[in-house]
Amino acid sequence: MLKHGMFKGTALAAALALSAMVSGCGTPHATQNSLTSNSSAASAISYPMTVKDDMGNTVTLKHQPMRIVSGSEGTDEILVSLVPRSRIALVTTMASNPEYSNVVAQVKGIPAWSGDDPEQALAVHPDLVLEAGYVTKSVLDQLHQAGVPMYAFSLNDFNSIADIEKNILTVGRLVGEPAKANALVANMKQDITQIEGAVQGQPRPTVLDYGSYGYAAGRDTTVDDIIRDAGGVNVAHMLNGWQKITDEQIVKWNPDVIIDSSDDAAFLKKLASDPALQSVTAVREHHLYAINSADLSSVSQYVVRAVYDVAKVLHPTAHLKAPKVMA
């Protein structure tokens, strides 16, 4: 399932599903696949379609997919904005959990798949499975051996907002809805531009994203992008990805603000009373904020909500307009 910060509460669930884990970002470096490698090929949608997924495997779709299985919370959230419910055969079990999902209402009634039982996926006779390349190899192997068209995203596909945009376009082309995918990405860009404009010229507080597993979000994480676009400076940007840090490092960085996902909010209370951190500005001035976990962990178009959520706590007087994600 891939969601926000693999090492956070939300992120941990994400690492199991495809939506969550990779929540940080930094320098956009979206990987290229045969659907995104050149614009002319990407714009031509016809079936049969043969492409290579992000794991290097060849995927052939004989016709426009009408029975799609989603193996990650990220693709759950993307699919519901691109195709009607009737075309989604299975979503992940995470999709109905409001701690991690932004589409609980939209997926109500769609059968759920835990992701570890390939027989359950095969039973619905899918004509496209969207998977995460890091799931159990035996699951991937069994789906491949059954001849099911399966597109797998690699772990490196979720390191930035640019990656998320690329993934939306990829799914849009696979399911034959490129115009909807383009509109979804355009709407994301517009929302982020509006937030950046609202906080432009304001002081940029230093921010640390830190959770109970002891990991901080560095560069090449979606969180790094979220903090930057929300008008902050990520104090952990010099770290590569998610790295475990010490109290001494937090004291040295002395962030103005510390954020964590809402499903891990109890950890912020522990930080507030930690004797070793009382000199840290964020602790001393009570700038410890729980950000909605479904937003902060999102690796879909809903990541714009996380940018808005973080911008609100960093710049409470800014004239921020809440994003409206396209349904």
Side-chain angles (χ1 to χ4, degrees), residues 25-63:
C25 89
T27 305
H29 64 288
T31 55
Q32 295 294 308
N33 55 43
S34 57
L35 283 174
T36 59
S37 56
N38 77 65
S39 56
S40 59
S43 61
I45 303 299
S46 62
Y47 301 93
M49 175 192 293
T50 298
V51 300
K52 284 193 179 295
D53 69 9
D54 295 343
M55 306 297 290
N57 299 309
T58 299
V59 183
T60 298
L61 299 174
K62 295 179 180 179
H63 51 76

Side-chain angles (χ1 to χ4, degrees), residues 187 191 194-195 304-305 308-309 312 319-325:
N187 189 69
D191 282 335
Q194 288 176 341
I195 294 168
V304 299
R305 289 184 176 178
Y308 172 76
D309 294 343
K312 279 197 305 181
H319 298 293
L320 291 161
K321 181 180 177 182
K324 292 184 178 180
V325 177

